[in-house]
Structures are given as C-alpha cells and as structure tokens.
Amino acid sequence: MINNYLLYIDPGTGSMLLTVILGLLTTLIFVFRGIFLKLKIKIAGGKNIDMNKGKVPFVIYTDSKRYWNIFKPICDEFEKRETECLYLTASPDDPSLTFDYKYIKAEFIGEGNKGFARLNMLKAYICLSTTPGLDVLQWKRSRDVDWYVHTYHTVGDSLGYRMFGIDYYDAILKTGQHQERAIRALEKVRNLPAKETVTVGSTHLDAMKKRADQMDLSKRESENKIILLAPSWGESSILNKYGANLIQKLVETGYKIVIRPHPQSKISDPEMLDSLQKQFPNSERLEWNFDNDNFDILSRSDLMISDFSGVMYDYTFIFDRPLIYTEIDCDISQYDAAWVDYVMWPLAMPPVLGHELKESDFDNLKQVIDETLASEVYAAGRKAAVAEGWEYQGEAAKRTVDYLIQKYNQLKEKEETEKK
C-alpha cells in the first residue's frame, strides 16, 4: 500500500510545479508556432508573411476588480479618443464587464493559471498593468508583446512590492518623481537595463479629488469631531495589537468614533472582529463601518487613526486632514525594500503627515488628538507630501494615454523600418 504522505505536495511546491509546467507548455507552443510559420513561409515561396496579424495595439491587464478605480479613467480617455483597447481582468465580477463602451472591449480571462495561460500567449504592442511580478512566477512575458508598462496603484514606491516586482517591465508610469529613486536603485543593485520612466500623476487620486470637489463638505457633521479608526489587517494591525484597550480609550475622549476594519479582516481575523463588535456594539458614540465605498466616511471624519494602510494617503492627500498612526512594524525581508540601504517612501512619510501613537499615549488620547488636529507642522507636512507624491493633478489619464499612443507609434515605426 502506497503511503499517502508520499503523494502529498505542499502548496508552495505545487505552485512551483504549476509554474514550471506552464512555462514549459508556453515554450513548446512558441517552438511549434515557429516551426509552423517557417513551413508556411516555405510553402508560400519565401514571401513575407505578416507576423503581427491579429496583434492588439493596447491591452490593460488587472488581476483584481479593486483596481477598476485606477483603470476606469484611462478607459474613459481611450473611449473619448475613439481608440480601441482590450481590457483583460481576472475577476469574474469586474465592473468593466458591465460598462457600455464602444471602443473598450472587456474580457474575463479566468482566475489562476487559466488567466496566466491567456496572458502568456497574448499578442499586443503594449500591455499596461498595475500587477507586480511580471516574468517572475506564472505570469511570463509573451514573445508577442512588444512593450510592458507598469502603473502604480498608490503613491508609494516599488520597494513595497515583493522581490523583483517591477524588474521585467519596460516602462514605469510614476505618480511623482519620488518613485524614480527606488526604480534606479533596484536596477543598479541587480544590474538591470534602465527602464523608461514617465511621471503622469495618479488616476485614482484625480477621480477622488473630482468627487470631493463636487461635494459640499461644509455640510458635514460639525457638532462633534469624528475620529476614524481605519486599520490594515493581520497580526501587526491596530485592532490585533491594541484591540479593546484602544477602542475604550477612544470612546472615553467623548468624540464620535467610527471603526472601519480592512475588508480582508473579515476573512483573516473574523473571530477578533466578532469579539470586538460584541464588546463595543453600535451606539450614538461608536459606529462600525463596512461600506463597500469608503469615500463617505473619509469625507465625514476629522482625523484618521491608522497603521500601515494605504488609505492614509487617500485621506490626507484628498481631504487635507490630520493623521495619527501607530508604530510601523514591518518585516521587509521579502520585499524589494530589503535590497536598498534607505527607508522606503511609504515608511518615511507618516511622521511628516501626523503623530505617531504609542501605548503610553493612551491615557492622554484626547490631548494627543486635539494637538494633532491643531498642528500647523503636520498641515505643512501634508502639503509637502502631496507636492512630492502626486504630480500633474487632474491630468493622469490624459498623460497616460498620451504616453501609450506615443509609444505605440514608435513601435509601429520601428516595425515598418525593419520590414524594409
């Protein structure tokens, strides 16, 4: 009888095997395709055959529907210019699939390896994505894609990605010039060719600011301050580290407290959340918020308390309001940040934006909140961070599409020259 243990493959090894198999299959397909094309040319009497027939000019790929806020403004700009673009998504319920575009074709390519198989055989001049890890694991560079372009989904830099996140892209679209340092530092330490970099701004922040400008924020609740507790998830998050103790101290300040857990907490920390909600049920003084869209609660609150969640930049950049953050306890050993000798931008910015909360502050929490609300130093810090991290406000979609079309024209010109 065969021992079942001998048949067991751990998830890590299984994923690696699937990656190897997928890579081999892709290679074999390209080999046989090459043989087929050579035979076709021979049969045709040596006449030139268009190898780029059926090649799509522009492709956008997203691994999750949550990045629709990044790509919708870009799709809108393509639509406005009556320029065709293929939008590939790994989410079956991606909002793009329900939009009535004339020039944007959205397609669900499948999840996991099914989706990667589609990407690895892609025929396109340009592929734009916010997904790191190109040519690292399952997602391989297709030989029939000329140019891969990465765009950031936050104002942070690439040092926050897992190792080799952007190494094999051809170009990077930046939200601000501050991201250049990380790109060049990684190229130097890994002896990589220099990528094209273009500063375009942030489509996500542009859309949020436009939405905020259309609101009458003077009508928001003003009789009492609203303090928003918006943590990340996992063992190092605020709710896991400080939990009931911090919430109790916040309630004792007399301010209205809104707790908005990270959506992943419902999956990763359900018992912790259930316990805290039972201890601190909804009341006039405390509210649990699980809205799909966080814009309303961000606009209503006067101060945010967070940890290492990227929402702190949405909040401080769009609404120009104070931040209190907890000590950032982050293991960078698996990230590109481990390859450089300086603190990455997302970890260096919180002290500029607001006050670092320590457990010793809990007994004087109201005083800490009041001082942070009134601080002119942090107000100046927020303005400086916006200037550095978010350039060309309101122009990101236009600048992105300008670059993509310009690059496409260059690739086509090069192709025509090589044919001669």
Side-chain angles (χ1 to χ4, degrees):
M1 184 176 182
I2 298 175
N3 190 325
N4 288 334
Y5 179 78
L6 296 177
L7 299 177
Y8 172 76
I9 299 177
D10 67 87
T13 303
S15 177
M16 186 180 297
L17 286 172
L18 285 172
T19 301
V20 171
I21 292 169
L22 191 60
L24 288 172
L25 287 174
T26 303
T27 301
L28 286 172
I29 290 171
F30 277 111
V31 169
F32 283 117
R33 180 191 288 180
I35 294 171
F36 173 75
L37 287 172
K38 287 179 180 178
L39 288 172
K40 193 173 181 181
I41 292 171
K42 190 172 182 179
I43 293 171
K47 295 179 181 179
N48 288 332
I49 292 177
D50 186 3
M51 303 283 284
N52 291 315
K53 188 176 181 181
K55 203 168 184 178
V56 180
F58 306 103
V59 171
I60 295 175
Y61 163 62
T62 179
D63 61 276
S64 173
K65 64 181 180 182
R66 67 179 179 273
Y67 298 122
W68 178 236
N69 60 351
I70 307 296
F71 292 119
K72 182 182 182 299
I74 298 172
C75 289
D76 290 345
E77 185 68 20
F78 271 122
E79 185 77 5
K80 177 182 174 183
R81 301 189 192 198
E82 300 182 353
T83 301
E84 292 184 353
C85 177
L86 178 61
Y87 190 91
L88 303 180
T89 175
S91 293
D93 55 347
D94 194 296
S96 64
L97 299 170
T98 62
F99 266 74
D100 187 22
Y101 284 122
K102 182 178 180 181
Y103 296 95
I104 311 300
K105 179 186 176 184
E107 178 186 335
F108 169 55
I109 60 173
E111 299 171 296
N113 287 319
K114 182 179 179 181
F116 290 127
R118 173 78 165 84
L119 291 171
N120 297 348
M121 300 299 295
L122 190 63
K123 293 188 70 173
Y125 286 93
I126 297 174
C127 179
L128 173 71
S129 182
T130 191
T131 305
L134 172 65
D135 223 25
V136 178
L137 291 175
Q138 288 100 324
W139 184 22
K140 303 299 182 184
R141 284 184 63 111
S142 170
R143 298 183 188 182
D144 289 325
V145 174
D146 294 280
W147 200 251
Y148 283 92
V149 183
H150 180 75
T151 187
Y152 291 104
H153 66 273
T154 72
V155 295
D157 58 34
S158 54
L159 298 182
Y161 292 151
R162 289 189 178 273
M163 288 188 187
F164 319 114
I166 61 166
D167 282 11
Y168 304 109
Y169 275 94
D170 300 295
I172 310 293
L173 303 184
K174 302 172 295 185
T175 68
Q177 190 59 30
H178 68 289
Q179 292 163 338
E180 183 82 5
R181 184 183 184 188
I183 295 167
R184 301 310 177 199
L186 292 172
E187 287 174 348
K188 183 177 180 180
V189 75
R190 293 175 182 157
N191 195 29
L192 296 169
K195 300 172 186 63
E196 276 192 8
T197 62
V198 182
T199 302
V200 297
S202 169
T203 56
H204 165 54
L205 290 178
D206 284 353
M208 285 192 73
K209 187 174 189 303
K210 183 177 180 180
R211 190 174 173 185
D213 289 345
Q214 293 171 346
M215 294 181 65
D216 184 0
L217 297 178
S218 64
K219 293 181 179 180
R220 68 191 181 96
E221 297 181 39
S222 58
E223 67 277 5
N224 193 13
K225 299 294 184 186
I226 298 178
I227 308 303
L228 173 62
L229 180 60
S232 187
W233 60 278
E235 293 182 3
S236 298
S237 68
I238 293 176
L239 292 182
N240 274 296
K241 285 178 69 175
Y242 302 122
N245 186 23
L246 176 58
I247 295 175
Q248 181 60 45
K249 295 298 182 181
L250 283 170
V251 171
E252 290 174 5
T253 64
Y255 293 131
K256 181 171 181 179
I257 309 302
V258 178
I259 306 173
R260 180 181 170 81
H262 191 284
Q264 184 65 29
S265 295
K266 284 188 172 183
I267 300 170
S268 301
D269 308 308
E271 294 180 0
M272 177 272 291
L273 273 186
D274 289 344
S275 175
L276 289 176
Q277 285 184 271
K278 288 176 182 177
Q279 291 180 69
F280 300 94
N282 282 314
S283 65
E284 290 185 1
R285 299 272 291 277
L286 186 142
E287 172 189 336
W288 289 86
N289 181 280
F290 294 95
D291 293 347
N292 288 329
D293 185 356
N294 67 4
F295 190 87
D296 177 64
I297 188 54
L298 293 182
S299 68
R300 289 195 292 122
S301 60
D302 295 277
L303 178 143
M304 173 185 285
I305 299 177
S306 189
D307 36 43
F308 43 87
S309 175
V311 73
M312 69 172 67
Y313 297 107
D314 293 350
Y315 184 71
T316 56
F317 280 32
I318 298 298
F319 300 104
D320 189 25
R321 295 179 197 154
L323 171 76
I324 291 178
Y325 66 96
T326 57
E327 180 182 9
I328 300 173
D329 181 18
C330 180
D331 178 11
I332 64 170
S333 61
Q334 299 180 59
Y335 299 89
D336 275 331
W339 289 71
V340 301
D341 58 0
Y342 64 90
V343 178
M344 62 179 174
W345 198 85
L347 298 184
M349 280 299 103
V352 175
L353 301 173
H355 176 85
E356 180 182 350
L357 180 68
K358 299 179 180 178
E359 206 161 359
S360 58
D361 292 326
F362 284 12
D363 290 334
N364 301 303
L365 198 48
K366 186 177 187 303
Q367 179 182 343
V368 170
I369 290 173
D370 290 344
E371 290 176 353
T372 305
L373 283 166
S375 173
E376 294 183 3
V377 173
Y378 294 140
R382 292 194 297 274
K383 286 181 171 55
V386 169
E388 184 178 1
W390 179 21
E391 298 185 44
Y392 301 118
Q393 293 185 25
E395 302 178 25
K398 178 183 179 301
R399 286 178 174 272
T400 296
V401 175
D402 281 347
Y403 170 78
L404 296 176
I405 290 177
Q406 179 188 42
K407 177 53 63 176
Y408 170 71
N409 290 334
Q410 289 176 1
L411 293 170
K412 287 290 290 182
E413 183 179 346
K414 179 183 177 182
E415 179 182 284
E416 292 302 319
T417 302
E418 290 175 349
K419 283 181 180 179
K420 295 178 181 178

